[in-house]
Amino acid sequence: MSEIIALLEDLNVISVTVRLLLSILFGGAIGLERQGSHHPAGLRTHILVCIGSTMTTMLGQYMFLQFHSDPSRIGAQVVSGIGFLGVGTIILNGGHVRGITTAAGLWASACMGLAVGIGFYEGAIIGFAAVIFALIIIRKINNFYYKRHPRTKYAKISLKQMADVVYISKLLHTWGVVVENVHISHTQKDDENFSNGVTAVLELNMKSYVDSNSVLVDLLKEECILSADYIKPQENIAEPEHDVL
């Protein structure tokens, strides 16, 4: 057993093959989870990041054995350099940020690749298990909690015309907010400029990563919205004049 461990810790054809296979396995598992959730960086990206990190560390180890140079110098650049790739997975949509978990997953894949490349198998395996736990198990716990405790809010919005209700509903959907119901409470007739305006009460179901305050701020930036604010459920209109959705 000790001979096998020594063989894998040394830099040879067998250890290089095992390390690259592990990097493909670890990076692929994380990438598959991200790809299944329809995120920008998927299976191939995570595999390539993990392989690249593994190769980088093995190169540092080889340079140390051949030229007695510092093996950590080349690997240290991976930790900072992977940030540039992670930035490409972060999407800003109307003030709402998505992709941070994927960027962190890429960084974690790079760190696992470094551990595998240097022969720190125990750390790489435990780290891989921790990453999978965070991505899959914690997500299921998080989803279960929000199913039991949904983030439902009611927003009272005044719009310039009826057609704007559909536009706002689609816009909210891109921000991670599902419009469950829309009730048109009354038509504004007191203002000649907005004689076709309406006041709508929207029942919103917000995903876990959505900041409700940011949603309200971004809504107020839209030209078609005259006013917008959250109201309490009991303030919702019991008998609306029109049901849009």
Side-chain angles (χ1 to χ4, degrees):
M1 186 65 181
S2 59
E3 294 179 357
I4 296 176
I5 295 175
L7 181 66
L8 294 176
E9 290 179 347
D10 194 14
L11 195 63
N12 51 67
V13 175
I14 295 177
S15 66
V16 169
T17 303
V18 170
R19 294 176 191 185
L20 289 176
L21 288 175
L22 283 176
S23 65
I24 293 173
L25 174 64
F26 293 166
I30 297 174
L32 193 62
E33 190 278 335
R34 293 286 86 193
Q35 184 170 298
S37 301
H38 307 288
H39 289 277
L43 179 65
R44 292 182 299 173
T45 303
H46 282 78
I47 288 177
L48 290 174
V49 166
C50 204
I51 288 177
S53 303
T54 301
M55 289 294 299
T56 300
T57 312
M58 289 192 297
L59 177 60
Q61 187 178 4
Y62 177 81
M63 292 176 64
F64 172 75
L65 295 174
Q66 294 294 324
F67 309 107
H68 304 288
S69 61
D70 185 0
S72 64
R73 292 183 63 183
I74 187 170
Q77 305 306 314
V78 174
V79 178
S80 57
I82 196 64
F84 291 98
L85 185 60
V87 168
T89 67
I90 299 175
I91 301 172
L92 180 63
N93 185 1
H96 303 274
V97 180
R98 295 194 64 185
I100 295 180
T101 302
T102 302
L106 285 172
W107 187 75
S109 295
C111 292
M112 283 188 299
L114 292 174
V116 171
I118 202 64
F120 183 32
Y121 300 106
E122 302 91 336
I125 293 172
I126 295 173
F128 169 71
V131 171
I132 292 298
F133 178 81
L135 288 176
I136 298 178
I137 306 302
I138 296 298
R139 184 183 64 181
K140 289 184 177 180
I141 294 174
N142 189 58
N143 292 340
F144 176 77
Y145 173 81
Y146 282 109
K147 284 181 180 179
R148 296 289 299 272
H149 304 84
R151 297 181 60 199
T152 301
K153 283 184 173 292
Y154 292 89
K156 190 173 184 179
I157 303 175
S158 296
L159 303 130
K160 292 182 179 180
Q161 56 185 352
M162 179 75 73
D164 294 330
V165 176
V166 178
Y167 166 73
I168 291 300
S169 298
K170 292 180 179 179
L171 182 64
L172 287 168
H173 182 73
T174 64
W175 295 348
V177 181
V178 179
V179 180
E180 298 290 349
N181 291 289
V182 178
H183 303 298
I184 305 302
S185 57
H186 67 275
T187 303
Q188 297 176 343
K189 299 180 180 179
D190 55 342
D191 194 329
E192 295 181 357
N193 295 324
F194 306 113
S195 57
N196 296 323
V198 296
T199 297
V201 176
L202 281 67
E203 182 182 350
L204 309 176
N205 191 343
M206 301 185 178
K207 294 186 178 181
S208 59
Y209 59 83
V210 175
D211 182 1
S212 59
N213 293 326
S214 297
V215 170
L216 187 62
V217 171
D218 291 333
L219 281 176
L220 291 171
K221 294 178 182 178
E222 297 295 323
E223 294 183 1
C224 63
I225 292 183
L226 305 177
S227 64
D229 200 1
Y230 292 122
I231 61 175
K232 296 180 180 179
Q234 57 266 28
E235 295 179 37
N236 192 8
I237 300 172
E239 297 181 355
E241 296 180 6
H242 308 283
D243 283 341
V244 178
L245 295 180

